[in-house]
Amino acid sequence: MTAATTLSVRLNKPQSAAIRRVEPGNTVCLRFGRGVGKTKFQRLAWYSLIAKWDGIDRGHGIHGIRIVLLTPTFKQAIDTYAALIASELAHEWGFLGGVINKTRWRIDFPGGSWIQFFGAENAESARGLRCDVASLDECDDIDYGVFDAIVTPWFSEPWSLKIKIASGTPKRGRHGLLYKLWKAGKDGLADHYSFHSTYKEVPENVSASYVESVRSTMNPSTFKREWDADFDSAEGLVYAMFSLDLHVREPDYGVPYDEILVGVDHGWNDPGVFLVGGVIGHGRDAIVH
């Protein structure tokens, strides 16, 4: 028999509030600005779940807990998480006994639990996967289609724990996966929980005076997106603030257009812009809707 392991885990206030909702059946959306600790939260959630479930025979041939990390690309998963996980599993979380396969980037634990890295660009290869936890990081760069068609079926087994943790930076305004999951929690959808926090709430992690000092040198939209996790911030888009009520108008369907023109532009990060113009008349007398 081995001695019990005692580990002191320190979470900041926003992380502490969110970790309480990482329970079977729940979807937890983290709208955290820079410095609050999205990536650290994801890793601590995994370790806590493995400490709780590893070695437990859940029936149906399942031992422990099955966790998938999904990022936009496989390389991004490795760049963001690999070194940190390797260090933590070799030191403070070493008692979990995790063994890393650095070819597949899968971590196996002695009680049957595992963590598997995937990139959304290769999500088709994960169609048949079944798991208990899906951690989606930088989820605004993961398409709705991948989430709905690939990720959601991962939990189709009746005995799956069905835990989803989504985090990232708002890159698609109110049209990305982060907002979709965030709004579900804010609207009170059952088993969905949303948390918003910025650097101002974690003085132990971030110097607020430093952040305020660099605010004046940054593009305001960039600052709002990165530090405030503001869904309505957008650098280089048609509208820095987008409102369906203000910027979208129904056309007059009773007007016969002489021609319809479509102008297309795109941003490096998304979203793209399709500007559709209905032309009535010709030359100088033309009117465009």
Side-chain angles (χ1 to χ4, degrees), residues 12-30:
N12 57 41
K13 185 176 179 180
Q15 290 171 335
S16 295
I19 200 75
R20 296 188 185 101
R21 295 300 187 181
V22 179
E23 295 288 344
N26 288 354
T27 296
V28 177
C29 183
L30 308 176

Side-chain angles (χ1 to χ4, degrees), residues 153-169:
W154 288 350
F155 304 99
S156 59
E157 297 168 333
W159 47 85
S160 170
L161 298 181
K162 298 176 176 61
I163 300 171
K164 303 183 187 77
I165 306 171
S167 62
T169 302

Side-chain angles (χ1 to χ4, degrees), residues 126-278:
R127 275 189 175 270
L129 188 67
R130 296 296 179 265
C131 69
D132 300 296
V133 182
S135 280
L136 286 70
D137 199 5
E138 292 305 339
C139 68
D140 255 11
D141 289 328
I142 298 173
D143 289 336
Y144 281 166
V146 169
F147 181 78
D148 291 339
I150 307 294
V151 176
T152 300
W154 288 350
F155 304 99
S156 59
E157 297 168 333
W159 47 85
S160 170
L161 298 181
K162 298 176 176 61
I163 300 171
K164 303 183 187 77
I165 306 171
S167 62
T169 302
K171 294 182 179 179
R172 301 191 182 190
R174 301 191 179 212
H175 301 277
L177 182 57
L178 187 67
Y179 182 77
K180 175 182 179 179
L181 297 176
W182 159 261
K183 190 172 185 299
K186 295 306 291 182
D187 287 348
L189 187 65
D191 303 322
H192 284 67
Y193 300 91
S194 298
F195 298 90
H196 179 216
S197 183
T198 72
Y199 65 96
K200 296 176 183 178
E201 297 172 65
V202 288
E204 68 273 32
N205 290 10
V206 182
S207 167
S209 60
Y210 170 76
V211 176
E212 292 301 325
S213 72
V214 300
R215 179 196 288 266
S216 61
T217 65
M218 294 181 66
N219 179 294
S221 293
T222 302
F223 185 91
K224 289 179 181 179
R225 182 183 69 234
E226 299 293 329
W227 291 98
D228 292 336
D230 187 341
F231 285 118
D232 293 322
S233 63
E235 180 182 2
L237 301 184
V238 174
Y239 299 108
M241 179 279 296
F242 183 82
S243 166
L244 290 174
D245 295 334
L246 178 63
H247 296 124
V248 177
R249 289 287 184 268
E250 288 290 328
D252 184 350
Y253 292 105
V255 176
Y257 296 116
D258 293 289
E259 60 180 326
I260 295 177
L261 307 177
V262 181
V264 182
D265 192 9
H266 72 279
W268 294 111
N269 293 325
D270 213 40
V273 175
F274 288 76
L275 184 63
V276 181

Side-chain angles (χ1 to χ4, degrees), residues 12-52:
N12 57 41
K13 185 176 179 180
Q15 290 171 335
S16 295
I19 200 75
R20 296 188 185 101
R21 295 300 187 181
V22 179
E23 295 288 344
N26 288 354
T27 296
V28 177
C29 183
L30 308 176
R31 181 186 165 194
F32 286 178
R34 286 289 185 92
V36 180
K38 299 185 292 290
T39 301
K40 183 177 182 180
F41 179 90
Q42 295 269 20
R43 302 194 315 275
L44 290 177
W46 305 340
Y47 302 150
S48 299
L49 289 167
I50 290 167
K52 178 178 179 179

